[in-house]
DNA sequence: TTGATGCTTCGATGGCGATCGAACTGTTAA
DNA sequence: TTAACAGTTCGATCGCCATCGAAGCATCAA
């Protein structure tokens, strides 16, 4: 029997559920109430939707006290959402409204666990320019020079290699329509920037807020 | 404004529409009537669904006389469907029914424009073994040796390079759960096999039928 | 011109599922 | 213990949309 893609499509195909999934693309684990606010529905309705998303293996849940924290199940699910964002961005591209909130999203945001938006695209450009990565149309590879560079600034490739995820992966950016860096290295770079206090995540969205010093430190580090 | 992924999800989320989309993963252009048969619905209903898929930019249509030929819009759409097949295959993996028809699908089938199934996975293994391609977790790259090999058997890399598509791309096989070769080189290999008469496509499905001689010629050529 | 075929439009029907109010369970804090 | 909060279950409602019959419009083959 063929896999049932209609089932998955239907899960994503509801407005409320899709809003929740997009909110979870921030990588943060959100509670049921938070998600109900994101989706503009009552907690009862949200509860029903969340059950379905769990059953459909798109989300996982962790219970903590009287809260339930929901997350995307894995990076495969995140990639699916990202791919759909891309395809549907092409549809609505005729109208690109730019409010202040959307502006921040465009500048820098989190795409599941790595950096996206204008800054993410520029980062990848800089890494390619400096010869730390090579690009083969859609595929990215770390050069020896890149391996040295990242080892020096603290990346432990033994740990990164252990996972099934690729180290480097190109992820098509839906706002920029160009690639940015995903994969475990992309995740490391984002974590590093947050740990150093260069950037903080917006409480209510995927937008990433760089401080003035943080931004210049980030740019200097990666030669942008 | 965020792109509307619910819209795309909803399009794929209907049983009839998803059957049509999967049928079109064969890469063939199918008529409205053929698609209505695939989806087990009347032509009227199919017509309505097809309009929606066109409007949603998932399909394109070519009119030829009194027939209308439908195709997936581009390889991005095909990749989306493939990813959904993978995710939903993980769900239904508990039950893997194997009829004779499914057996043929498992052996060799067409995935949009390249070879998939057991034979596709074995092909990639052989190419890696012979050092024609290198694999970096999920990324594939052509070696010099590979470039020479494929040039010799008739690949014109100037033509392949012109397109925006990557030459080599790993595509996760939903029946084998391992990678097979996609990208423009994957397309070339499939076309070549069909042009040489080694394989013919089933009229009513994505299954690929190799003749005995064709199969041995194919295996010999790629050192399998 | 006639009949057959491919596809579409229209209208009526029916069912599924999203939604929320009300009431319930479980957890935290005082 | 009590009150507030987080999340759920149940039931009723309501709207949307997939479906198909009937009729219509093109195209083809004589």
């Amino acid at each position: 029997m063929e896999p049932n893609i209609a089932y998955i499509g239907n899960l994503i195909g509801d407005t409320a559920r899709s809003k929740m999934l997009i909110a979870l693309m921030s990588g943060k684990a959100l509670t049921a109430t938070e998600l109900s606010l994101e989706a503009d529905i009552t907690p009862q309705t949200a509860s029903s939707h969340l059950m379905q998303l769990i059953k459909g293996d798109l989300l996982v849940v962790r219970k903590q006290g009287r809260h339930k924290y929901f997350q995307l199940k894995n990076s495969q699910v995140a990639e699916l959402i990202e791919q759909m964002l891309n395809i549907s961005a092409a549809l609505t591209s005729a109208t690109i409204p730019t409010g202040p909130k959307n502006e921040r999203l465009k500048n820098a945001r989190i795409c599941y666990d790595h950096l996206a938006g204008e800054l993410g695209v520029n980062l990848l450009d800089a890494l390619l320019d400096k010869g730390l990565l090579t690009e083969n149309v859609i595929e990215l590879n770390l050069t020896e020079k890149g391996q040295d560079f990242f080892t020096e600034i603290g990346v432990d490739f033994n740990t990164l290699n252990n996972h099934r995820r690729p180290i480097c992966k190109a992820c098509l950016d839906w706002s920029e329509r160009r690639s940015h860096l995903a994969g475990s290295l992309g995740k490391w770079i984002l974590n590093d920037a947050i740990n150093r206090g260069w950037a903080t995540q917006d409480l209510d969205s995927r937008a990433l807020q760089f401080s003035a010093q943080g931004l210049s430190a980030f740019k200097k580090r990666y030669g942008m």
Side-chain angles (χ1 to χ4, degrees), chain A:
Chain A
M1 204 31 219
E2 302 262 350
N4 185 3
I5 69 169
Y7 178 64
I8 305 286
N10 201 31
L11 280 178
I12 305 178
D14 176 83
T15 315
R17 283 192 293 264
S18 73
K19 283 181 187 167
M20 296 179 171
L21 289 170
I22 291 181
L24 289 169
M25 282 293 283
S26 68
K28 283 188 289 199
L30 300 176
T31 67
T33 310
E34 286 168 335
L35 288 168
S36 76
L37 291 174
E38 285 285 345
D40 288 315
I41 49 177
T42 60
Q44 305 96 292
T45 310
S47 177
S48 145
H49 285 308
L50 289 167
M51 296 311 289
Q52 294 178 63
L53 290 170
I54 296 284
K55 197 171 175 191
D57 261 353
L58 296 189
L59 300 186
V60 288
V61 64
R62 221 173 346 143
K63 210 175 167 182
Q64 222 162 86
R66 57 178 165 180
H67 294 278
K68 273 190 165 183
Y69 288 92
F70 294 87
Q71 273 181 291
L72 297 187
K73 171 131 188 198
N74 51 40
S75 62
Q76 202 185 8
V77 172
E79 280 162 32
L80 175 64
I81 307 286
E82 184 70 14
Q83 196 156 8
M84 296 190 75
L85 280 170
N86 270 305
I87 288 193
S88 57
L91 274 183
T92 45
S93 65
T95 59
I96 317 173
T98 48
K101 187 180 171 189
N102 287 305
E103 207 50 51
R104 289 228 306 289
L105 268 185
K106 264 197 62 182
N107 288 338
R109 66 173 181 279
I110 293 183
C111 173
Y112 187 53
D113 61 5
H114 56 270
L115 179 64
E118 200 180 325
L119 191 64
V121 169
N122 290 341
L123 170 66
L124 178 55
D125 281 347
L127 295 179
L128 290 170
D129 266 7
K130 290 180 68 181
L132 304 181
L133 299 181
T134 55
E135 182 179 35
N136 180 4
V137 191
I138 247 187
E139 300 155 9
L140 294 178
N141 283 292
L142 201 59
T143 62
E144 269 190 36
K145 196 174 164 191
Q147 194 128 7
D148 293 345
F149 171 82
F150 281 108
T151 302
E152 193 159 328
I153 68 173
V155 173
D156 176 10
F157 282 103
N158 289 327
T159 324
L160 291 197
N161 262 325
N162 277 345
H163 301 355
R164 226 175 302 167
R165 285 187 79 184
I167 294 182
C168 301
K169 187 169 183 332
C171 181
L172 190 58
D173 197 289
W174 64 259
S175 61
E176 296 293 311
R177 303 291 195 86
R178 297 187 43 218
S179 287
H180 59 247
L181 178 63
S184 54
L185 184 59
K187 178 178 179 176
W188 184 91
I189 290 178
L190 172 63
N191 276 335
D192 180 59
I194 291 179
N195 287 339
R196 289 175 185 277
W198 293 348
T200 52
Q201 194 176 169
D202 269 27
L203 287 176
D204 64 337
S205 86
R206 289 186 288 151
L208 204 59
Q209 193 67 42
F210 271 80
S211 69
Q213 304 99 307
L215 185 60
S216 70
F218 184 86
K219 286 187 172 177
K220 186 177 169 196
R221 172 169 230 174
Y222 298 111
M224 298 168 64

